[in-house]
Each structure stands twice: as C-alpha cells, then as structure tokens.
Amino acid sequence: MIWPYFVPQSLVLQVRVMSLTRQEVEKIAHLARLSITEQEMPVYVTSLSSIVAFVDELSRADVGAVAPMAHPLVGQSQRLRADEVEDTDRHEKYQANAPQVQSGLYVVPRVIE
Amino acid sequence: MLHNLFIGEQADLLARRQLSSVELTQHYLDRIARFNPQLNALITLTAQRALGEAAAADRRRSAGENSPLLGIPLIHKDIFCTDGVRTSCGSRMLDNFVAPYNATVVERLQGAGGVTLAKANMDEFAMGSSNETSYYGPVRNPWDTTRVPGGSSGGSAVVTAARLAAYATGTDTGGSIRQPAALTGVTGLKPTYGRVSRFGMIAFASSLDQAGVFTRSAADAALVLQVMAGFDPKDSTSVDQPVPDYHAALQMPVKGLKIGLLKEFFDGLEPKAAALIQDALALYRKLGAETVEVSLPSLPLSVPTYYVVAPAECSSNLSRFDGVRFGYRCAAPKDLMDLYKRSRGEGFGAEVKRRIMTGTYVLSAGYFDAYYLKAQKARQKIADDFKAAFTQVDLVIGPTTPTPAFAIGAKIDDPVTMYLNDIYTIGANLAGLPGISVPCGYVDSLPMGLQLIGPHFSEGRLLNAAHHYQLQTDWHRHIPRGYES
Amino acid sequence: MTHWETVIGLEIHAQLATRSKIFSGAATAYGAPPNTQANLVDLGYPGVLPVLNAEAVRMAVKFGLSIGAVVAPRSVFARKNYFYPDLPKGYQISQYELPIVQRGSIGILLEDGVAKTVGITRAHLEEDAGKSLHEGLANASGIDLNRAGTPLLEIVSEPDMRSAKEAVAYMKKIHTLVRYLEICDGNMQEGSFRCDANVSVRVRGAEKLGTRAEIKNLNSFRFVEKAIHYEVARQIDILESGGKVVQETRLYDSDKNETRPMRSKEEANDYRYFPDPDLLPLDIGPAFIAEVRSTLPELPDQKAARFAQDFGLSAYDAGVLCASRELGAYFEAVVGRAGAAHAKLAANWVMGELSSALNHDSLDIDRSKVSAQGLAGLLARIIDNTISGKIAKDVFEAMWSEGGEADMIITAKGLTQITDAGAIERAIDAVIAANPKQLADYRGGKDKLFGFFVGQVMKATQGKANPAQLNDLLKARLSGGP
C-alpha cells in the first residue's frame, strides 16, 4: 500500500498483505443481510481486504495484560430506573413511518418457524 | 452585518430590543437561499417553523425572559431526531423518516429558545471524513468549493463558516466535529463522553459518539455547551455530574497552565502545518503557559483500533434498519430474506455497507479475539497513555488534521487513506476525552485547526485556553471570500 | 433395563412480573391490542436508548439468593445479533459472559420418594421478543411487538436430569419457586413461564454426553414430558439403526405430538456477541443484596421442612402442601384453627377433598369456595365427634356447592352424630328384631355378617350413629342374649 505523503511515518504501521476472498465477503454480506450486486462485489473484495489488512496490525500488537475497555466511562456502573409505566399508546404516530401495516400489525413476508 | 456578530453580540441586540428574533431569523433564511445552492450544506429547510419559533422567542423576550440563546437561530445536524421533521441521517434509508420525538439536545436547545432553521447535510450515518458519502450529495467547502469541508458533520461546519446560522450542532465519533471545524475555519467542540445526552441522536458507534457544537468562537461554544450539557435519565451513559459555569471559566488566567505537545503528532508533520502549531505554542508561552513535550506511545494503534471498534458497534446499531417498522423498504420483496437484503442493500450507501461488513467480520466467530478483543485492549492502553500524560500537563495540543481540505473525489475510492485523515482526532474518542479545534492559520490559503485535548470533564479548561488564544488572534474572525455580506 | 441413558438440561424462561419493560417505560400487561404497548425503545427506533429497570434486577437477585447461587458483583449486558422480524433492533440485549446469577442448585423430590439435586449453571436477564402472527394474512405475517422488551430471567440448568419425570419435577419446582418469590406469575398459557429442553441419549455408564437436540418453546408440563419422551425415542431409534443424531433446534408440535427441525434455525448462527455499549456494567453491592435478602419469603423447601417437623407429615406430603405459597398458607390457616395435633387430618383434607374439588372446578386455591376458616370449622366437628368422617364429606360437598358454615349445614340437615348409647341400643334392637335369620347365621359362625348389622343400624340412623360406639354396642349385643 502506498501511504499519502502527509501521514507522519511514526504513525504508519507495517501492513501485512491480507486479503479476503469473494466467498468470505459473500458470507459476511449474508450475515449482515446486505445484497451486493455483481458489479459491486469486486470493489468490496478489494476495499474490505485493505481494511482488514490495515486493522490486522492489531492482531500482532503487543498490548500486554490490560483489561479490555468496553467503555470510556471506566469505573461507572449502570443506573437503574424505577419500575414505572411512563408511556401511553402512540402506535398510530409510530406506525406512520411503517412501510406496511394492517390492523395495527407490521406486515412482512411470511415468517417460517 | 448581523451574521458576522457572535452569539453574545446578537443576544445583546435582542435583549436591548434593537433586533427581533424574527428579523435575525429572516436574515439567515435569506442567506441560506442565497448561498446554500452552491454549498449543499442542508438536507431539510424548516423556514416556516423557524419563523414561528422566532416569534415565540420574541414573545418570551417581551415577557422579560433574557437568556443568551433565546431567539438565536441554529441548524441541527440531521442525525438529531426532530419531532415532526424528516430526520434522514444523510441516508436513503431514512429519506422518508419523520422522527416522532425530539432528541434531548434538540429539546434542550428548543427550551432555551433556539430557532431551528434547517437540518444539515452530513456523511451517511456519520460515516465519513469528507461529507462525500451523503445520499444528498457532497457538501462543498466555502473556502474553495472544489474541496471537501471534512466530515461527518460537514454541513454543520459549513453553515457556521458561511454564516448561514449563528451556530450548529454536530456529533463527533472519530473527529467528526473537530476535523470539519478545522477544514472550514470555525471552532468545534467535542465534549467528554457522557457530558451531553446521546438520546435521540442516531447511533453510529455508541461508545464513541458524542454531541457537540460548531461556533465561531470558544466564547460562543461556552454559551451553547452550557445548555446542551447535563444529565439525562434517558441515556444510561449520560454522566450525573453538575455542569460548571463555562462562561465564568473563560475568564480564568492562562498563566501557569501546563500544555503538553504531543510528540507523536509532530513527528513527520508537514512543515507549514507544524509552523502554525509552533506559533500557537509561542503565543501560549507569551501568555505565561508552560509547554512540555509528552508522549502517547500507544497512539499509533489508535486508527486501527478505531476501525475495529466503530464498525463493530455500527454493524449492530444499524441492524434495526430492516424495512419493517420505518425507513426504506425494497419494492416487491419475494420473501423475508429478500426483504432484508434488498432493503438494506439498496437503502445504505457504499461506505455504510463497507463498515457494516467490516464490523460483522471483526465480531464473527474466529475473529473476535484477534480483532475486537484486541482493539478493546489497545483502547485501554491509549486511554492509559492519556491518563499518564494528564498527570504531567493540564491539556495537550497538536494539529487537528495533518493537511487542509482535500479535493472532492480525491480519496473516496481509497477507504484506508480516508481513514488516516482522522489520525489526530480519534484518540480523544477512544479515551472519551473532550477536545476543541480552533482556527490557527492557513496552509495553501486553506484553514487549519489547532486542537486542544483535556482530561474528562475539562471542557471549562479547554474553552478557557481556546478563548485566550482567540483574544490574541483573529483567525476565527476571518470570513471565506464571497460570504462577507 | 434398557442400556440407554437419557440426559436432559432445561432452559427456563420466566417473564418477570414487573409493571414496565426491562429497558423502557412501556407496560407489560398481557393481551393489549397489537403494538399499543410498544414504545420507541421497544420498537428499536433510531436514536433511543435502554435504561435498566431496577425491579427486574431485584427479582433476579431474589431468585439467585433463593437457589443459593452467587449474585455476580458485576454483570454485563451483551448484544446477541441476528435478524428476525420479532426482534426489532436486530439484536437481543442479554447477558452472555457475565450473568447476574451464577452456580446455584435446587432439590427435587420424585413421587417415589427419591430426592435429587439439580445444578443451576446460571440465570441471566434479557429482553423478550415480539410475536409473529399468521392468521388472516395471505403469504404474510403480522408483527406485534407488545411483548418485545418484557423482562425475562433465563434459568439454565446443568444436564442433571435423567428422565422426563425428573425434568418435569424440576420445572415444577422452579415454577413453585418463582411464584413464591412473586417474581413471575407462572401463567403458562400466556407464555409467562416456558422452557427449551436440551435432550440427548448415551449408553449407560458412558462419560461423554451424546449429541443433543434443543426442543424449543415448551409451554406446559405435559408438553415437556411428551416432547422429551418423543425425542428420546427418536434419538434411540436413530442410534440403534446405526445413525447419528444431528445437533439441531427442533420445535414440538403438540397437535401431532412430535418434534421437527426448525427451518428458521437451519443455518448455523453466528450471534456476534459483544458488550452492549449503550449499557454500563451492572454492579451489585452487599447492601443491595442484603436489602433484597430481607424481602425473601419463607421458601418452599424451608416451609416443607417445617411442616414435616412440626406436624409430623411425610416429606412428600409436606412438599405437596408447599407447592404454592397460597396452598401452604391455606393449610397453615386450617391447622392454626384445628390445632397442630390434628395437622395430619387437616393435610388429608386439603390434599384430598379440597384438592379434588378445586381440580374439578379448575380453581386456584385463592379462589376456593370453602375458606380455610370454613374447612377448619368442619374439621372441628369431626374432632369433637359431632359428625363422622363420612358425614363430613357430605357436609363439605354442601359447603362447596351451596356455601355456608359446617355447623349451619349440620344443624339444618340434622346430621349431628348420635352418641347417646340408649338411642344407639334402641336402633340395634330394632335391626336385630327385624333380621332373625341373619342373627342366627351370625351366631352360627358367619362373622362376616357383622358388617351387615353395622350397615343396617347406620341406615336406620341416617349414618349418624357414632361408628366406634356402634361397634362396641353391637358387638356386645350380638354376642349376648336374645
């Protein structure tokens, strides 16, 4: 990969060549429920490969024995809400945004269990 | 000219009844009509509502109310839900979405008498650093309309720079306020994570997103933050801590302030950009501040860390857009799978899909430990580095971006190069720290930003330091050519 | 004995009886018109955020304490990502690596008196999904999200059960417990209490578990038993014909009494769990735990042990009387009036006549037509010999169907037992006089005819003669002179 001139070299990590196959990209797209057209597919294979190669640096970085940080609010804990009913029925307003509604239900193609 | 006045000055005129909010609002609406076509900074104009809100603000003034934002026109980034007004998030997915409620930020500013003129253009779902990923087309930089304004809050930055509103809201997940503020020559403040409620702000990456503001001065930012900040019981990540008096904080002296120069930000920095930062440092020293070099050794990990954490969270956050309850639905789905895949495939743009797929990949079985878990650890290291630095200094300083605004189309095909543009801003998001960017001069006739980053909840300190810089410089008073009157 | 061994573990989903949802202020009441109890958070609207319901946490802790489990000082909410129309956000907020309740156990007692301990691996908080409805829609489904966001406690057992009967006993025990704790209404028809069963078989004595099938959504004790029976037979058939059991999710069809693979679960899922960034870690300190502990009621096992000890009941009977908090309270109220000395009598009546009357009318104990006070009044008349046990059953029936106190009915119907020896003797004399042949036969050695005379005297006194007295007097009279 060619790095743009303006990136300070101290910040550029050595990138290993990594690539995703078309099959892998198709699998990811399916898991994420995204249709990808034939024309788009090669573009995604290329760009996702370069992104994965870029972040792959992490897999080899030595971060020592630190605890994983899920949140910037370290040390804070979840606040609790009193068990009170606060909402009234506003389904008509909410369903004004829905693509298809019948008898108060959101309609989708048949769900098979 | 009214639009060149700062918020405090406009509020004075309103308070002395030398100006009405309706007049001020109309003035901005006229400017929008004149300038927005060449900038494409807006998605939805709410002129009629604005005039109604302005009239209401004037009545409140008549009734004796006298708060600084009462009757002052603003523009919201189109990521904030506004009751009864389309909230698109820059996406085809939400092109038809009318929010049925107000974001807390919207609610607070409305309560303070803010007049909402419009919803600003942005990168789709805030994913982008150039405002080129918007479904509504790229936003143009008023300093040079062939160039990007930065992103993702590009529209908000541009309306502030072109004086189409007194101020604008934005959100900053990896630099999305500070970077466009720098590239358009305005002041952009990203508060501490948890300082401003995220309720009603359409999520990109929940552990990084933070609402903030674009103004033309640090003093104005203090006025707006005063209203935006505060605990919100509807957001579990909102911090229940008193909001200090930011206006009072502006007055504190800079003498004795310890400023850290970020070593990693300077190594290899382009000389013209480095010179601007050096000038700023010299000025601070002249004001009695002390400057020392500090190092954040884990900073090189910040961009890859960010591009694991943010896509991971976004891949999950954007699953709710499925064509069932709101938003885009594909035509004639043949079954449920088809409904999902085509609604999402057609409703989202390329960059959003790319990030969803990246996030799906890094969270999936077999890769979670190598990427997501590792990124969380690297994130802790970066946060620890900042923490260590803040035992030595009050705040750290550096450039906001490596270069000024680049040409529209220059990097859109190379996502990684685009991602590297956030190199100086991402660290603050990973650690949840507040940051501010203020204009500090030009490279190749394009504005550059000086970035200040402080410890958690040090907004008062940052605004104070930025304000003193602006008392000594006039970069923040510069107007892009053609937008003066 | 077959050489196959069944191994069962259950995942029970108990809806917590909070007023509002686990992460939103929408109501949880059952049966509202579609989507009228789904607010912006439940619908997964853009921009909205979850805030945790304190009561759901308190209920989970209550459960943890009652099974001797560890209440985690820090637990974490994670997102389980998958697409399904009844899952509005495209992820379920659940607890994955760090659940709120860890490592507990509960004892079960089988009908044959065998006791067993079932390990409970964990119990975690999560949100329920909505419902897909299919009626009246051609080739389409309708989504009702009223149930979305209802708090669930998922209680995961160890694979400790070895038969369908054990599984049912365990499930009933948990059902009893959650209702004792008042953390779940236990209503299985409405889906408030349901379970998935992990079923496998292995050769008896084998150490390794067989491949399991997960049977989804069992919402009655009977279905659990039938589904497990079906599934075990199916797996044994496969193995005996040389096949391999496939690990899969199956659905129990109660109409056909069979299990079949779920089409929606055919694809191997990759749930991409990660900590929910919208929620912070849940920290539970000793003070919170102590406060919850102070609200714990007497638990079913404690109560059963006390009943056995104080009242001399068998462990099984004590267990039956403690099957619900209300039944235990009823029994205690009866004993309180009748006296501890008569606890056995009270137990027999509660488990006998009362239970069958309740069953017959499909009533819960709290809707019983005979109150504890009423039943105690009836027992008092048995104890003081006013009526016999047999007459008491008639009185109970009258109390049940017509209402009223035992004394009232006894008086109105003239059922008071005859204890006057003279009166009983007169009745005996009349019967003997009327049956000279039987008297001769009895005296000639046909001892069995004694019963005939008892019956005749009872008939003559409309069953009111005191049975013991009658016995004594009759014996004396028959063996005596003419």
Side-chain angles (χ1 to χ4, degrees), chain C residues 53-386:
Chain C
N53 185 333
E55 201 53 35
V57 174
R58 192 165 286 124
M59 287 176 172
V61 170
K62 226 170 169 182
F63 178 78
L65 294 176
S66 72
I67 57 162
V70 175
V71 174
R74 169 162 278 202
S75 60
V76 169
F77 286 95
R79 293 183 180 180
K80 178 181 183 179
N81 294 285
Y82 65 97
F83 287 90
Y84 210 65
D86 66 11
L87 187 71
K89 298 186 294 299
Y91 59 84
Q92 180 194 29
I93 305 178
S94 181
Q95 295 187 310
Y96 183 53
E97 280 182 333
L98 292 171
I100 183 166
V101 171
Q102 302 169 7
R103 299 189 306 280
S105 66
I106 197 161
I108 56 171
L109 191 59
L110 304 171
E111 264 173 82
D112 57 12
V114 175
K116 175 163 189 168
T117 299
V118 176
I120 294 174
T121 319
R122 58 186 282 164
H124 62 256
L125 284 167
E126 63 182 26
E127 54 180 345
D128 208 344
K131 284 179 185 166
S132 307
L133 308 166
H134 314 294
E135 268 106 80
L137 291 159
N139 261 325
S141 297
I143 310 298
D144 175 10
L145 296 170
N146 280 348
R147 197 179 69 174
T150 301
L152 288 178
L153 188 66
E154 180 172 334
I155 304 159
V156 183
S157 83
E158 292 286 317
D160 282 349
M161 287 150 284
R162 294 292 173 269
S163 68
K165 281 228 171 339
E166 288 184 16
V168 171
Y170 165 77
M171 191 175 172
K172 281 188 171 165
K173 192 67 184 281
I174 297 288
H175 189 248
T176 295
L177 181 61
V178 295
R179 284 178 308 137
Y180 255 73
L181 298 172
E182 294 176 321
I183 62 174
C184 174
D185 68 17
N187 190 323
M188 296 173 81
Q189 273 96 43
E190 292 176 4
S192 304
F193 189 86
R194 52 194 203 261
C195 96
D196 303 338
N198 286 302
V199 178
S200 65
V201 297
R202 64 179 168 189
V203 173
R204 199 169 291 282
E207 240 175 67
K208 212 170 150 255
L209 291 175
T211 306
R212 66 187 160 87
E214 183 180 0
I215 311 167
K216 281 274 177 205
N217 234 4
L218 300 165
N219 62 357
S220 87
F221 297 123
R222 208 160 53 89
F223 291 165
V224 169
E225 187 159 1
K226 290 173 94 172
I228 292 173
H229 279 312
Y230 176 88
E231 183 58 23
V232 168
R234 186 186 74 86
Q235 292 187 12
I236 291 175
D237 264 4
I238 293 174
L239 295 171
E240 288 189 340
S241 56
K244 268 191 175 164
V245 174
V246 200
Q247 181 161 343
E248 64 185 350
T249 306
R250 300 176 72 87
L251 195 69
Y252 177 67
D253 181 334
S254 57
D255 294 334
K256 296 184 186 155
N257 185 32
E258 62 173 32
T259 65
R260 58 161 185 272
M262 279 180 86
R263 284 182 59 189
S264 58
K265 304 272 179 182
E266 271 171 11
E267 190 182 312
N269 261 312
D270 184 345
Y271 290 122
R272 290 158 283 137
Y273 282 100
F274 73 106
D276 191 330
D278 288 332
L279 292 160
L280 299 176
L282 174 61
D283 291 334
I284 298 176
F288 187 90
I289 292 176
E291 188 238 298
V292 173
R293 197 186 292 280
S294 73
T295 66
L296 280 184
E298 183 183 29
L299 299 176
D301 283 354
Q302 296 168 336
K303 196 186 284 275
R306 181 166 62 82
F307 283 4
Q309 166 91 33
D310 292 2
F311 305 140
L313 303 178
S314 75
Y316 189 78
D317 286 357
V320 170
L321 289 168
C322 295
S324 79
R325 205 163 159 172
E326 294 79 10
L327 185 64
Y330 186 101
F331 170 71
E332 279 203 274
V334 175
V335 173
R337 286 170 180 269
H342 304 288
K344 184 72 191 152
L345 177 71
N348 289 341
W349 272 84
V350 170
M351 292 189 297
E353 296 305 301
L354 180 75
S355 289
S356 38
L358 289 169
N359 273 345
H360 182 268
D361 290 3
S362 305
L363 290 177
D364 285 330
I365 185 74
D366 49 357
R367 309 286 302 278
S368 172
K369 295 185 192 169
V370 172
S371 67
Q373 189 185 346
L375 182 60
L378 175 63
L379 298 188
R381 296 293 84 83
I382 300 173
I383 294 162
D384 70 7
N385 277 328
T386 304

Side-chain angles (χ1 to χ4, degrees), chain A residues 69-90:
Chain A
M69 174 175 172
H71 227 281
L73 299 175
V74 179
Q76 305 230 26
S77 52
Q78 179 60 36
R79 195 175 54 248
L80 302 178
R81 173 178 68 78
D83 180 25
E84 280 157 14
V85 175
E86 291 155 356
D87 286 87
T88 49
D89 171 26
R90 292 173 73 198

